[in-house]
Amino acid sequence: MTETFTPGALVRVRNREWVIQPNADPEVLRLRPLGGSDEDIQLIIPQLENPPVEPATFPDPKPDLPGSYDSALLLRDALRLKMRSGAGPFRCFGHIAVEPRPYQLVPLLMALKQETVRLLIADDVGVGKTIEAALIVRELYDRGDIQRFSVLCPPHLVEQWVDELNTNFHIPAVAVTGKTIDRLEREVNGISVFEHFTATVVSLDFIKSDRHRDHFLAVKPDLVVVDEAHTCTLTGQGRQLRFQLLQKLSEKADLHLLLLTATPHSGDEVGFHNLLSLLKPQFAQLGQGLSGADDPLRQELAQYFVQRRRKDIEEWSDVHLFPKRMTKEVTYTQSGEWGKFFEAVRAYCVSLASRTEQEKGEKARMIWYATLALLRCVSSSSAAAHRALTTRLNGSLEEQAALAEDRRVDDGEGQDLVSSDQEPAGSVEDTEMVRSLIAQAEALKLSKGDPKLIALEKHLTELIGAGYRPVVFCRYIATANYVAEHLKQKFSKLSIDAITGEFTPEEREDKILELTKALANGGHPLLVATDCLSEGINLQQTFNAVVHYDLAWNPTRHEQREGRVDRFGQISKEVRCTLMYGQDNPIDGFVLDVILRKAKVIQEELGVLVPLPEDDKRVRLALVKAALMRSSRTSPQQSTFDFDDGASELVAIESQWKDAREKAKVNRTIFRQARLKPEEVMPEWTKQRESLGTPEEVERFVSMALTRLGAPLNEKKQVTPQFFPPSLKDRLSVEGYSQAFAVDFHYPPPAGTLFIHRSHPLVALLADFWLEGTLAGSSGIGRCGVFETKAVSKVTTLFIVRLRHQIEITSVAGRRTLMAEESLAWAIEGRQEPKWLEGTQVEKLLDIHPSGNLGAEVQRYQVTEAIEWFHKNREVFDEKARNQAQTLLSDHRRVRDASQGRGQYSVEPKLPVDLMAVFVLLPDTL
C-alpha cells in the first residue's frame, strides 16, 4: 500500500471514486463512495483489485451543464448536512439526533479536559442529564478514546436508555437483564456480551450478583455510566453490593466513569461522600469537616462535579426551554356512604391498633402493618380498600420477614424510590366487622357519587377545557383502574387509558405510543397511572399536566411525578400540577401539613428538594396517631390504648428535617460548582453549529429539496413520500416513512410532529439524492452558473469547496487517525487583482436574487474562465485549506487539552481541495 492511500485521500477503483476512511488494518482499505453516505462504506483488499486502486482527483464542474443560482445554496447545504465527521470543536454532533443547548455542553467540556474522565453530573430533574452523559459518551467514542461502554441503571430505566442511545445518539445498544442474558449469550456464541457489543445497558439488580459482578469487572468496558447513582451508596439496606461494584470499578485507573443523580447529597451525608470517593478517593475526606469553599480539596472537586438548578440555567438565556409550573390544591369532603365507610374503616383500625398493646412480637407487627395498609388504601379509594380487606396476611415466617422490606404501605425509602403499586394485605382475621367492610367496599366500587371522584372530574373538565392533557397519578392499581373506568364514562370522546405495574415496561411504552398517536390524529389523550410511570418514561411530548389523585407520603415522589412532564423538551409554556386531598381526612391533612407543604417551603428556599428524613418508624407512628386520634367523632376504643397526640414523633421528625435542611444549605454553598460560564461555552456551541448546519439551514434545505421534487411542504408542514421519485421513495420506506407525516425543525417539536434534525433519515436521504444526481449530471442541478445581479459591483466568483482533513492523535495508548470534512463557500471580487471576501460577505452572496440569467455562450465562457483561475491559483486554495486545518487543530487542542500526557494532535489537509461548484456574479448595470 502506498503513502497516497491515507485517510481523506481520493482513489478510483471499481469504476468509481471513493474517499478513504480511517481503518486500523493497514492491509485493508475502508472506502466511502464519493457522494455516498457512511452506510455505503465498503472494505476492500487492494492487492486483489484489478484494475488496481489508483489516486483520483475530484472532477471539475461542467460549463455545458449550468444550473439556477439556488443550486449553490442547495449544494452547500446538502454537503454540510450530510457530513458525519465534520470539522469544528466536537466530533459527535454529526451523529446525534438532538439539538443540545449550550448549558448542556458544560459537562462535555469538563470531561474533555480530563485524561481519565470522572464526573458526577447532578443537575436538577428534567434539565437533561441523560443528554449530557450521552454527549460525552458519543464524543469519546467518535474520538477513538473508547471502544466499548456500559450504562448501569435501575431496572425500570434500562429500556429508556437503550432507546435514547439508539434513537438520539445512533449507537446500537442492547439491554442486559436477567430476562435477556441467555438470548444474548447464545447470540454471541461464547464471547462475553460485554466484549462483543459496543454499548450495553445493564440492570443494577442483575449485575450486583457475585457471578455477574466478577465477570463484568474482569472484562470491564472503557467507560461506565451509572444512572441514579445515589441508589448505589454504602448506606441504606440492600445497596452495599452496588457500592462495592462501583468501588472496584473506580479502582481501575484507566476507566472513564460518569455518575448521574438529581439528588447527590440531600439528606444523606455519608452517601454523598461515598459518591465523591468514586471520583477520587481523597474526596471522601470532605465529609470529615472542611474550612469552606476555599478548601483546596473542594476547589479540586469543582473539576469533577457539576450541579445546576433550573435557576442557574437563566444566565444562559435558555429559561424558555422549561415551562412555568403552576400548582393548585383541590379539596373534597367525604360524605354520604363514602364518609360512613371511611369512618367504619377508621374505627376498625382503632380497634386493631388497640390490640397492639396486648400483642407482642410478630403478631403485633402484623396487626400494625394491617392498620397502616387499611388507612393508606381507604384514603386512596374503595376499590383499593376492598383489595386490602380481602388480601389476608397469613403470618408465615417468610411473610413476616418480607413485611420489613415491603414498601407498599409507603412510597420508598428516602432517595431509593423503588415502590410497588400493588395493594398491601390488610386482613388479619375473618370477623363479622371485616365481612361488613368488604361488602360496603364492594358496593361502593359499583356506585356513583364518590366525592373524591366527582372532585377529580370537575377539575379535569377545567383542565381539558383549557387545552391541557393531564396524567392522573394514583397510588394503587385498583384505584387507577377504578378511576380510569369512571373517567371513560364521563369523558367518552377522550382517548383514555390506565397504565399500572400489571404491564411490562414494553407494554407501558406501547400504551404511551398509542395515546401519542391519538394526539397526532387530533384526539385528546388522558392518562391514569400509578407510580410505575413516575420514573423512567418521559411524558413531556404528550402530556402537560399532573394531578396527584393520591398524595404521596414522600415529597420526592411528587417531584418525580411532576418531572415526567415538566422537563427539557416540554413545548407548553405552562405545566399544571394539582394536589387533591380530603378536607376531613386526617391522613391527608397530616401528609399535606407536616410533609408536603414543609418540603415545598424548603425547596423554594434552597432551590433543591430535601427528602423526608429516613425514619419510617416515627413517620408511620405519627401518621397512624393523626388518623386515629383526630376526628370529629369520638370512638370508645380510643381509651383502651396509650396514644398521645403524636407530638413526640413530630418533634423528632421536625428536628431531623431541620438538620437535613441546614446540611443541604451548607452543601449548596460549599459544593457550589465553579462551572464554566456562558461566555466560555457559547463560542464552541456557535462554531459547531456553523460547521455542521443550524436548524434554520436544515429547514431551508428540506424545503428547497422537496420543492424541486415537486412535493413541497404544505401548510401543515407535511412530507408526502408517495410523490417522490421511486428510488428515493423506496429508500425512505426502508427507514419506516412511507406515508405522509408532519414535521418541525426546532426542538421540542409540537405534539404530533416529527423533529427533523440534520441526522434524520429524511435529511440524509435528500442530501444523498441530490448530491449523487448532481455529480452524475442527472439531477437537473448544475454545479455552475452565471448570473447578473445588482448585489455586486465587480465580477464576483463564488467557489463551493469541500475540505478533507486527516487528524492524528498520538498518546500513551498509541496513534489514532481520524478524518474531518467541511464544506465552505469562498469568494473573490475581481480576477486581475482579486480581493477575497470574508465571513458575512460570502453568506450574503448565497442569499441574493439574480436579476437574470445569461446566454449559454456567455455562461460557458465565464465558468471556464473561473475554473481556469481556480487551477492557476491552486496554491492559494491549498494555503487557505492549510489555514483551515490549523483552525481545526486549534479547536481540538482547546477543548481536549493536549498537555499532561493527554496526547498530541496534528491536522493535515488532504490536497487538492475539491471544487464542488462555481458560480459567477456579474454586475447588473441597468
Side-chain angles (χ1 to χ4, degrees), residues 348-368:
Y348 176 63
C349 287
V350 169
S351 69
L352 285 178
S354 67
R355 286 163 55 183
T356 62
E357 296 292 298
Q358 288 79 42
E359 300 287 353
K360 302 296 181 183
E362 297 301 332
K363 182 68 172 178
R365 178 186 294 182
M366 287 178 55
I367 295 174
W368 185 251

Side-chain angles (χ1 to χ4, degrees), residues 30-205:
R30 186 167 174 261
L31 304 176
R32 189 195 69 212
L34 187 62
S37 64
D38 288 351
E39 287 72 22
D40 302 319
I41 288 176
Q42 295 187 19
L43 298 176
I44 70 168
I45 301 175
Q47 290 84 348
L48 302 181
E49 294 297 323
N50 187 21
V53 182
E54 297 177 341
T57 57
F58 194 80
D60 287 337
K62 296 180 179 180
D64 293 329
L65 296 175
S68 62
Y69 190 68
D70 61 5
S71 299
L73 198 56
L74 189 67
L75 282 175
R76 203 280 299 267
D77 285 347
L79 282 164
R80 179 183 291 182
L81 294 172
K82 81 184 295 293
M83 289 177 180
R84 294 294 171 260
S85 301
F90 307 109
R91 303 283 300 171
C92 64
F93 272 56
H95 298 274
I96 61 177
V98 293
E99 181 68 20
R101 303 308 303 170
Y103 75 85
Q104 292 175 327
L105 299 188
V106 169
L108 173 59
L109 287 167
M110 292 173 64
L112 291 178
K113 296 296 184 183
Q114 300 179 14
E115 181 177 357
T116 300
V117 178
R118 296 287 172 97
L119 275 184
L120 172 56
I121 303 175
D123 288 341
D124 269 357
V125 172
V127 166
K129 291 184 295 296
T130 301
I131 291 176
E132 292 169 343
L135 276 174
I136 295 172
V137 172
R138 182 80 224 199
E139 181 68 19
L140 295 181
Y141 180 75
D142 290 334
R143 286 172 176 265
D145 291 346
I146 63 172
Q147 302 298 319
R148 297 176 294 110
F149 70 93
S150 293
V151 177
L152 308 184
C153 62
H156 62 278
L157 295 179
V158 168
E159 291 302 326
Q160 179 184 324
W161 265 102
V162 170
D163 182 65
E164 183 75 20
L165 292 171
N166 278 282
T167 303
N168 288 334
F169 290 86
H170 297 149
I171 300 175
V174 296
V176 181
T177 66
K179 295 180 179 179
T180 66
I181 187 62
D182 289 341
R183 173 180 58 81
L184 292 175
E185 287 180 338
R186 287 194 300 269
E187 182 179 334
V188 299
N189 193 25
I191 304 173
S192 168
V193 167
F194 301 111
E195 291 180 308
H196 178 80
F197 294 104
T198 298
T200 50
V201 182
V202 189
S203 164
L204 278 166
D205 285 352

Side-chain angles (χ1 to χ4, degrees), residues 188-413:
V188 299
N189 193 25
I191 304 173
S192 168
V193 167
F194 301 111
E195 291 180 308
H196 178 80
F197 294 104
T198 298
T200 50
V201 182
V202 189
S203 164
L204 278 166
D205 285 352
F206 167 82
I207 205 68
K208 70 182 182 183
S209 70
D210 289 341
R211 181 170 69 89
H212 297 310
R213 183 176 71 249
D214 292 344
H215 174 65
F216 183 71
L217 289 169
V219 297
K220 68 169 181 63
D222 305 311
L223 179 147
V224 173
V225 179
V226 185
D227 199 4
E228 303 293 339
H230 56 267
T231 66
C232 302
T233 55
L234 189 57
T235 59
Q237 196 166 12
R239 304 180 192 171
Q240 293 90 340
L241 292 177
R242 294 180 179 182
F243 183 70
Q244 290 170 9
L245 169 62
L246 297 191
Q247 264 191 324
K248 291 183 179 298
L249 284 171
S250 67
E251 291 170 0
K252 300 180 183 295
D254 60 341
L255 177 87
H256 303 288
L257 182 64
L258 299 177
L259 306 174
L260 313 182
T261 174
T263 51
H265 54 63
S266 297
D268 186 354
E269 288 295 301
V270 175
F272 174 51
H273 294 107
N274 283 337
L275 278 181
L276 296 186
S277 71
L278 298 174
L279 302 173
K280 193 173 184 178
Q282 293 89 324
F283 291 152
Q285 301 172 17
L286 293 171
Q288 301 172 8
L290 66 168
S291 58
D294 295 331
D295 184 278
L297 196 57
R298 204 237 40 105
Q299 292 287 338
E300 185 181 2
L301 175 64
Q303 302 171 34
Y304 299 84
F305 179 36
V306 56
Q307 181 179 34
R308 278 88 55 88
R309 301 167 298 174
R310 292 195 183 188
K311 185 177 181 180
D312 298 324
I313 307 301
E314 293 178 7
E315 65 183 24
W316 296 81
S317 301
D318 262 347
V319 68
H320 67 282
L321 290 175
F322 300 104
K324 183 178 181 180
R325 189 182 299 190
M326 307 294 290
T327 61
K328 182 178 181 178
E329 294 180 358
V330 170
T331 64
Y332 61 92
T333 302
Q334 293 282 14
S335 58
E337 294 302 315
W338 282 264
K340 293 177 182 178
F341 176 65
F342 182 89
E343 284 301 320
V345 172
R346 196 190 66 82
Y348 176 63
C349 287
V350 169
S351 69
L352 285 178
S354 67
R355 286 163 55 183
T356 62
E357 296 292 298
Q358 288 79 42
E359 300 287 353
K360 302 296 181 183
E362 297 301 332
K363 182 68 172 178
R365 178 186 294 182
M366 287 178 55
I367 295 174
W368 185 251
Y369 179 90
T371 303
L372 282 166
L374 289 175
L375 288 173
R376 186 82 198 258
C377 288
V378 75
S379 294
S380 179
S381 70
S382 56
H386 180 270
R387 187 72 63 86
L389 285 163
T390 54
T391 305
R392 186 72 177 266
L393 283 165
N394 58 41
S396 66
L397 292 178
E398 293 81 4
E399 186 173 73
Q400 291 173 17
L403 290 182
E405 296 293 326
D406 198 327
R407 315 308 304 171
R408 289 178 293 174
V409 295
D410 49 33
D411 298 290
E413 183 178 90

Side-chain angles (χ1 to χ4, degrees), residues 512-764:
I512 294 294
L513 181 60
E514 287 302 312
L515 291 174
T516 302
K517 288 180 179 178
L519 176 62
N521 294 328
H524 198 112
L526 190 158
L527 174 62
V528 182
T530 62
D531 287 319
C532 72
L533 286 191
S534 68
E535 294 180 274
I537 296 181
N538 297 329
L539 305 174
Q540 72 272 24
Q541 297 293 333
T542 310
F543 301 96
N544 54 9
V546 168
V547 178
H548 303 281
Y549 188 74
D550 292 331
L551 296 181
W553 290 5
N554 190 316
T556 310
R557 176 62 69 191
H558 274 216
E559 182 66 21
Q560 290 285 355
R561 289 174 175 178
E562 295 172 6
R564 295 307 94 207
V565 300
D566 181 9
R567 62 191 302 107
F568 179 71
Q570 173 60 256
I571 194 170
S572 297
K573 300 300 182 184
E574 290 185 355
V575 163
R576 297 289 178 90
C577 298
T578 306
L579 286 175
M580 291 188 62
Y581 67 93
Q583 201 166 10
D584 56 349
N585 184 332
I587 303 173
D588 284 358
F590 176 90
V591 172
L592 196 65
D593 291 333
V594 177
I595 300 176
L596 299 181
R597 285 176 176 159
K598 283 184 170 59
K600 187 171 183 61
V601 170
I602 296 173
Q603 186 175 19
E604 290 175 350
E605 174 190 354
L606 301 182
V608 294
L609 186 67
V610 178
L612 185 69
E614 297 181 11
D615 194 340
D616 289 341
K617 185 175 181 180
R618 288 186 184 276
V619 173
R620 288 178 173 182
L621 183 58
L623 274 165
V624 171
K625 290 182 176 181
L628 303 187
M629 298 299 296
R630 299 179 188 177
S631 176
S632 58
R633 304 171 186 177
T634 302
S635 176
Q637 289 96 331
Q638 287 177 250
S639 60
T640 63
F641 56 94
D642 184 19
F643 269 2
D644 57 24
D645 61 0
S648 60
E649 282 73 30
L650 291 181
V651 168
I653 294 171
E654 288 274 4
S655 176
Q656 290 178 7
W657 211 343
K658 183 178 179 180
D659 289 344
R661 179 180 61 184
E662 292 306 312
K663 287 179 180 178
K665 185 185 297 184
V666 171
N667 282 330
R668 288 297 300 177
T669 300
I670 294 178
F671 294 105
R672 183 176 292 116
Q673 200 267 327
R675 59 191 178 277
L676 297 170
K677 299 298 182 183
E679 57 269 22
E680 300 174 77
V681 178
M682 289 299 291
E684 311 296 356
W685 183 72
T686 302
K687 183 181 285 286
Q688 192 64 61
R689 282 163 57 97
E690 290 175 348
S691 172
L692 292 173
T694 65
E696 291 74 23
E697 289 170 330
V698 173
E699 181 173 10
R700 180 178 67 196
F701 167 71
V702 171
S703 298
M704 290 177 61
L706 293 178
T707 299
R708 280 183 167 272
L709 287 174
L713 292 173
N714 59 24
E715 293 181 358
K716 296 181 179 180
K717 288 190 176 181
Q718 279 190 321
V719 177
T720 51
Q722 54 265 43
F723 299 135
F724 289 2
S727 62
L728 181 58
K729 180 180 177 181
D730 291 344
R731 291 167 72 178
L732 199 58
S733 178
V734 170
E735 298 289 343
Y737 301 98
S738 57
Q739 302 299 318
F741 54 95
V743 301
D744 194 83
F745 299 92
H746 294 83
Y747 189 86
T753 64
L754 283 176
F755 172 46
I756 303 299
H757 43 82
R758 66 178 313 280
S759 61
H760 190 278
L762 175 66
V763 178

